[in-house]
Amino acid sequence: MANVNPSGFWKRSKNFRVAMLYLFPSFLLFSVFVFYPMMKTVYLSFFLTDYEGFPSLFVGLENYAYIFQSESFRKSIIATFIFVLITVPFGVLLALFLALLANEKLKGIGFFRTIFASNMGMSVAASSVIWLFLFHPSIGAFNQFLATFHLPQVEWLLDPSWAIISVSITTIWMNTGFAFLIILGGLQNIDEYLYENANIEGAGYWYQLKRITLPMLSPTMFFIITVSLINAFQTFGQVDILTQGGPAESTNLIVYSIYREAFINYQFGPASAQSVVLFLCILVVTILQFKFGEKKVHYQ
């Protein structure tokens, strides 16, 4: 049997204890604000609760059966996926377009960089109120613009066909600033030597964009797409201010559905079951993103 060096073992264990000491604040915060609420939500999803949220009767999977039989929940799932399919592609493409413009070496370009990222300084509530006035059916700027050209007025937030589009437009505008800054940072980290060689070889702008810019930017784009997907599934504030889930539940996204079930109907069991379903949806989408999206990422 090999001899164990006590001093070596003690040194390694000391390093481990020191590492755990530094990590303890993070473990504590995650335990209080992430792990415990998550476990509590899973626990409550198997119970009926009273008006204060305390479990009163164990019902097993009945809460899950109830929400999947609910037409309102099915509508919220459909509305959420439609919302994600609108906001993520268009939002990322808009941010990429603006970042490509702002990355040009032109006089005064810093002013436009500031303008493109300025909405990051606004809260969701303030931004939603601004868009609420823009979408107003009579005094809103959008309908005033349509009236200038004698075009029919649009009930932006009152027509089920337009409400989800209106909320999506608002969300795209809100999230563009963050995505723009991240993508611009990725563009500025691309080695200029690559473009110099391409210019010497006579490569045009579109060839450089396809063969140099986008491949070298792929890690940044992978990050932005992943974060945008997660944020889109968790959208709440603008829905609450603009539409309250209406009209006809066309904008009843799943997070707003959870809020309404828990804090308006006081049905914490079904709300917890919806939260678990939302977590699984985000988990599956993220896994698929890493499985298929990461294959197109070039790290060198």
Side-chain angles (χ1 to χ4, degrees):
M1 181 177 178
N3 292 328
V4 178
N5 186 352
S7 62
F9 173 78
W10 178 252
K11 184 177 181 179
R12 289 193 299 272
S13 64
K14 181 180 179 181
N15 292 338
F16 176 78
R17 292 196 302 273
V18 171
M20 289 298 101
L21 183 62
Y22 280 111
L23 290 174
F24 177 74
S26 297
F27 283 138
L28 181 62
L29 289 174
F30 274 96
S31 298
V32 173
F33 295 106
V34 178
F35 300 134
Y36 172 74
M38 183 171 64
M39 293 298 102
K40 185 71 172 181
T41 299
V42 175
Y43 173 75
L44 289 177
S45 69
F46 298 110
F47 287 84
L48 292 179
T49 62
D50 57 23
Y51 284 104
E52 295 181 351
F54 294 105
S56 57
L57 178 65
F58 178 79
V59 293
L61 297 176
E62 288 186 19
N63 283 328
Y64 293 92
Y66 166 75
I67 63 173
F68 281 109
Q69 292 172 1
S70 169
E71 184 179 357
S72 177
F73 180 71
R74 291 197 298 268
K75 285 183 177 180
S76 72
I77 290 289
I78 295 172
T80 301
F81 277 96
I82 292 174
F83 176 80
V84 170
L85 290 175
I86 294 174
T87 57
V88 174
F90 286 101
V92 171
L93 288 175
L94 177 60
L96 175 61
F97 173 73
L98 295 177
L100 289 171
L101 290 179
N103 194 46
E104 296 296 324
K105 295 179 174 60
L106 300 173
K107 186 176 181 180
I109 197 66
F111 170 77
F112 292 97
R113 291 173 181 172
T114 304
I115 293 298
F116 294 158
S118 60
N119 60 351
M120 288 185 62
M122 298 182 64
S123 67
V124 172
S127 301
S128 300
V129 170
I130 292 172
W131 282 91
L132 187 63
F133 281 103
L134 292 174
F135 287 128
H136 195 279
S138 57
I139 63 173
F142 292 147
N143 274 350
Q144 292 290 333
F145 177 78
L146 293 176
T148 303
F149 296 95
H150 305 287
L151 295 174
Q153 305 292 286
V154 176
E155 300 287 343
W156 297 99
L157 300 176
L158 302 176
D159 186 340
S161 302
W162 282 101
I164 189 68
I165 297 175
S166 302
V167 175
S168 299
I169 292 172
T170 304
T171 304
I172 291 170
W173 182 85
M174 288 179 177
N175 296 337
T176 297
F178 171 76
F180 161 77
L181 278 183
I182 300 299
I183 296 174
L184 180 61
L187 288 171
Q188 294 182 343
N189 282 330
I190 298 176
D191 195 342
E192 289 292 333
Y193 178 74
L194 298 172
Y195 294 108
E196 292 174 2
N197 286 343
N199 288 328
I200 292 172
E201 296 295 329
Y205 175 81
W206 295 109
Y207 183 88
Q208 293 181 32
L209 178 65
K210 181 179 178 181
R211 298 296 184 181
I212 299 176
T213 304
L214 293 181
M216 297 301 295
L217 195 62
S218 56
T220 303
M221 297 301 297
F222 176 76
F223 169 76
I224 284 296
I225 292 172
T226 303
V227 171
S228 298
L229 283 169
I230 295 172
N231 288 340
F233 275 101
Q234 296 177 337
T235 298
F236 170 77
Q238 51 269 47
V239 174
D240 185 39
I241 294 175
L242 293 174
T243 62
Q244 292 81 47
E249 298 190 332
S250 60
T251 61
N252 185 31
L253 305 186
I254 188 169
V255 174
Y256 189 79
S257 176
I258 294 168
Y259 161 77
R260 188 169 64 179
E261 195 73 20
F263 300 108
I264 297 179
N265 299 332
Y266 297 103
Q267 298 293 324
F268 294 98
S272 298
Q274 291 186 36
S275 300
V276 173
V277 172
L278 173 63
F279 168 75
L280 293 176
C281 288
I282 295 175
L283 179 64
V284 169
V285 170
T286 305
I287 291 174
L288 292 176
Q289 169 69 0
F290 272 87
K291 182 176 179 58
F292 298 105
E294 198 171 18
K295 293 179 180 179
K296 300 180 180 180
V297 175
H298 302 272
Y299 291 102
Q300 293 182 355

